[in-house]
């Protein structure tokens, strides 16, 4: 005898499926932004030279920061290391926010973008990874 799902199980399955795909899309967006930023840092440092100077960082740091951003993106994209990647992404973005606060740019576009990107990183991970949902059960 085959078992059929009751309507509640079906609704829960659809909800989890939608959450999974929403999380994947959010996470993909984060990875794309990080890869773009890391690539620009590596291959077009002149594009961001003025921003680095404004925040008080040396121009040659783009060759260090670029690979760090790319490494964070890769770790975040791999399911087995996604939590570590999210922690590193959050730390990196927190540093970016701190740099702008330090120079008096509270509420500046780079700060807001960093804040939203960090929220997207954790929101996407929460929706796509049952281990994270188990630690913080917000969705029932």
């Amino acid at each position: 005898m085959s078992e059929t799902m009751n309507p509640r199980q079906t609704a829960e399955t659809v909800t989890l499926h939608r959450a999974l795909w929403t999380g994947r899309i959010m996470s993909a967006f984060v990875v794309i932004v990080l890869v773009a930023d890391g690539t620009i840092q590596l291959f077009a440092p002149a594009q961001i030279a003025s921003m680095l100077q404004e925040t008080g960082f040396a121009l040659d740091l783009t060759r260090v920061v670029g690979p760090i951003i790319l490494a964070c993106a890769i770790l975040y994209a791999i399911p087995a290391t996604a939590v570590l990647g999210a922690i590193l992404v959050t730390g990196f973005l927190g540093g970016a926010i701190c740099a702008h606060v330090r120079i008096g740019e509270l509420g500046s576009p780079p700060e807001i973008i960093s804040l939203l990107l960090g929220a997207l990183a954790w929101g996407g991970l929460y929706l796509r990874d049952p281990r994270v949902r188990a630690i913080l059960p917000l969705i029932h």
Side-chain angles (χ1 to χ4, degrees), residues 58-70:
L59 295 178
D60 60 344
L61 282 180
T62 59
R63 303 231 186 283
V64 175
V65 174
I68 291 171
I69 296 170
L70 292 172

Side-chain angles (χ1 to χ4, degrees), residues 78-98:
I78 299 170
T81 59
V83 172
L84 173 61
I87 292 167
L88 294 174
V89 166
T90 305
F92 177 78
L93 295 171
I97 291 170
C98 183

Side-chain angles (χ1 to χ4, degrees), residues 29-42:
F29 180 78
V30 170
V31 170
I32 290 167
V33 169
L34 291 174
V35 167
D37 188 27
T39 303
I40 290 169
Q41 300 257 354
L42 278 178

Side-chain angles (χ1 to χ4, degrees), residues 41 45-62 99-100 102-103 105:
Q41 300 257 354
Q47 303 286 4
I48 58 157
S50 65
M51 281 190 353
L52 280 176
Q53 283 180 326
E54 288 174 10
T55 55
F57 291 104
L59 295 178
D60 60 344
L61 282 180
T62 59
H100 286 278
R102 186 179 64 80
I103 62 171
E105 291 184 348

Side-chain angles (χ1 to χ4, degrees), residues 96-97 99-101 103-115:
I97 291 170
H100 286 278
V101 169
I103 62 171
E105 291 184 348
L106 188 61
S108 67
E111 277 186 325
I112 293 168
I113 290 168
S114 295
L115 182 65

